[in-house]
Amino acid sequence: MGLLQEKLAKYDLPQQYMAMGVYPYFREIEGKQGTEVNMGGHKVLMFGSNAYTGLTGDERVIEAGIKAMKKYGSGCAGSRFLNGTLDLHVKLEKELAAFVGKEDALCFSTGFTVNSGVIACLTDRNDYIICDDRDHASIVDGRRLSFSQNLKYKHNDMADLEKQLQKCNPDSVKLIIVDGVFSMEGDLANLPEIVRLKHKYNATIMVDEAHGLGVFGKQGRGVCDHFGLTDEIDLIMGTFSKSLASIGGFIAADESIINWLRHTARTYIFSASNTPAATASALEALHIIQNEPERLEALWEATNYALKRFREAGFEIGATESPIIPLYVRDTDKTFMVTKLAFDEGVFINPVIPPACAPQDTLVRVALMATHTKEQIDSAVDKLVKCFKQLEIL
């Protein structure tokens, strides 16, 4: 055994939880993701998905992907920079830019590579990147790859954000990067105050709309639209793997920023372009979202009902304002245990432990879809009450 193997063989934390029978990851789903999924030969209520619009199993989205594969093949065999650009990619970019209210957009193969590639190349050594300390891991990795000076502020603490801005050279670029909806806690960024500070300190703002697109704003245009601040936000990022029922991501901004990114973002230039099927599926989902406002209404009806039920049952759910509902456990072992108990009861939820949260903030994450029924929500709440009480969390 080599030195690397010897070192990594000492990592046995997953095996410890497997031995306890509560290891919660890589659970196999045997069909389409919907409000119910097939797992181990029986149906389980799915409350762990990011498919807020409920479109992952929609026949129109599936058929769009099939048609694109028949026309363009299974892949593009190269990067967008060289031989991998389809007219379909360009069409999606134009429609996304118009949807989120920007001049232009670029599509990437995953949402993670949007943030890790864009953030890394926007600013230089003399500039600053300023992030909320609960920003997504892809934002964290993007700023780590940048040569710029990195600053963090306490979660949604605008006084602390201002302190960080005061540390910056006034003549340097100051890029504030924030999640529109925080993916674990479900609360929103304080964009009105961030915009005020932008003007006070001549900063630039990038908002990650991964969990806002298809959920907030007119026709699901996102948190920036929800606050009426689209024109004040310099860069808007989004993903396809949630409301758009596919895989991939995009960045939207003015033409000068997109022109720079198109020729310098390494995860764009050196990654194979998104598949025809994934691109067409995202495009069709975008059309459905815009043409079916009742889908957004159903999502919020389900969300508000679930929030009410969880609060009435006595769960600690924090400051969430979205279809993401954290149920705080505040103990890693119990977080895994309650996830297993819930699954045994037929409810799929996701455990959240460090580094996705602080050690004292471990939780299980419940997420709503437009297609969830009140009966399904009632069943899940009742079963989760039973599981939480069994472990004396509730």
Side-chain angles (χ1 to χ4, degrees):
M1 183 181 290
L3 291 176
L4 178 63
Q5 290 87 344
E6 286 183 15
K7 179 179 179 180
L8 300 186
K10 296 175 183 176
Y11 174 64
D12 65 351
L13 190 59
Q15 289 86 338
Q16 293 176 36
Y17 285 110
M18 288 176 190
M20 293 168 60
V22 296
Y23 182 73
Y25 303 118
F26 304 105
R27 292 174 281 178
E28 296 179 16
I29 297 171
E30 299 158 351
K32 297 175 185 175
Q33 284 218 21
T35 57
E36 291 185 336
V37 295
N38 293 313
M39 301 182 75
H42 62 277
K43 288 189 179 296
V44 177
L45 288 173
M46 172 53 75
F47 282 92
S49 173
N50 294 319
Y52 304 116
T53 54
L55 288 171
T56 51
D58 190 284
E59 290 301 322
R60 294 166 293 179
V61 175
I62 294 169
E63 185 60 28
I66 292 170
K67 286 183 178 178
M69 184 175 283
K70 287 182 176 178
K71 178 177 179 179
Y72 297 100
S74 59
C76 298
S79 73
R80 290 287 305 277
F81 199 62
L82 297 174
N83 64 296
T85 291
L86 303 177
D87 54 356
L88 193 61
H89 293 129
V90 177
K91 178 176 174 59
L92 178 57
E93 287 171 341
K94 290 183 182 300
E95 293 199 21
L96 283 168
F99 184 64
V100 300
K102 293 300 172 189
E103 292 179 356
D104 205 353
L106 282 184
C107 288
F108 289 64
S109 299
T110 68
F112 199 103
T113 57
V114 179
N115 282 338
S116 60
V118 168
I119 296 167
C121 75
L122 276 176
T123 54
D124 61 31
R125 294 179 188 276
N126 299 315
D127 300 323
Y128 302 86
I129 293 174
I130 309 168
C131 296
D132 188 293
D133 67 7
R134 294 190 189 173
D135 277 348
H136 189 263
S138 57
I139 295 175
V140 173
D141 281 9
R143 64 178 178 81
R144 283 173 175 171
L145 289 168
S146 171
F147 291 109
S148 300
Q149 299 178 66
N150 292 315
L151 301 172
K152 286 193 297 184
Y153 62 94
K154 297 172 187 175
H155 178 55
N156 256 345
D157 186 331
M158 296 297 99
D160 195 33
L161 171 57
E162 184 159 18
K163 287 180 183 177
Q164 304 310 314
L165 287 164
Q166 289 170 345
K167 296 176 183 178
C168 302
N169 183 333
D171 296 325
S172 296
V173 174
K174 296 164 286 293
L175 176 61
I176 303 168
I177 308 173
V178 66
D179 287 354
V181 181
F182 289 91
S183 58
M184 297 299 113
E185 297 82 6
D187 54 339
L188 308 187
N190 188 349
L191 288 187
E193 184 63 12
I194 293 173
V195 167
R196 185 188 72 81
L197 293 172
K198 163 189 170 171
H199 289 296
K200 183 174 181 180
Y201 293 95
N202 191 23
T204 302
I205 303 174
M206 175 176 167
V207 174
D208 181 329
E209 287 276 24
H211 296 271
L213 204 69
V215 178
F216 288 89
K218 183 181 179 182
Q219 296 182 311
R221 296 173 193 268
V223 174
C224 301
D225 182 84
H226 167 74
F227 283 115
L229 294 171
T230 296
D231 292 343
E232 297 283 1
I233 307 303
D234 302 281
L235 298 100
I236 295 176
M237 176 271 182
T239 58
F240 306 157
S241 56
K242 299 170 178 65
S243 291
L244 295 183
S246 185
I247 183 71
F250 72 94
I251 189 74
D254 64 36
E255 290 178 350
S256 62
I257 292 175
I258 296 300
N259 177 60
W260 168 261
L261 294 172
R262 184 179 281 118
H263 297 92
T264 58
R266 294 169 67 86
T267 58
Y268 178 79
I269 295 172
F270 296 104
S271 289
S273 57
N274 214 348
T275 66
T279 305
S281 295
L283 183 61
E284 180 63 21
L286 180 63
H287 294 162
I288 293 171
I289 289 170
Q290 293 177 86
N291 292 322
E292 296 183 0
E294 63 272 17
R295 191 169 291 273
L296 189 60
E297 293 168 8
L299 172 62
W300 279 103
E301 183 177 346
T303 296
N304 290 328
Y305 182 71
L307 287 168
K308 179 174 179 288
R309 283 296 324 270
F310 280 117
R311 287 193 175 106
E312 287 175 347
F315 287 91
E316 181 188 356
I317 65 173
T320 180
E321 303 175 62
S322 72
I324 299 167
I325 304 177
L327 308 180
Y328 284 93
V329 179
R330 304 194 183 281
D331 178 281
T332 297
D333 287 353
K334 285 188 176 182
T335 298
F336 284 167
M337 292 166 69
V338 80
T339 302
K340 176 63 165 59
L341 288 175
F343 186 76
D344 291 343
E345 291 285 336
V347 180
F348 188 110
I349 51 177
N350 288 314
V352 180
I353 64 167
C357 67
Q360 69 274 16
D361 292 334
T362 67
L363 57 95
V364 291
R365 181 182 183 274
V366 173
L368 279 299
M369 291 183 258
T371 43
H372 275 124
T373 66
K374 285 187 176 180
E375 291 75 19
Q376 289 173 327
I377 294 168
D378 284 335
S379 177
V381 173
D382 291 343
K383 289 176 178 179
L384 288 170
V385 166
K386 175 183 176 182
C387 297
F388 270 60
K389 285 185 175 180
Q390 185 174 335
L391 294 175
E392 299 182 341
I393 307 167
L394 191 64

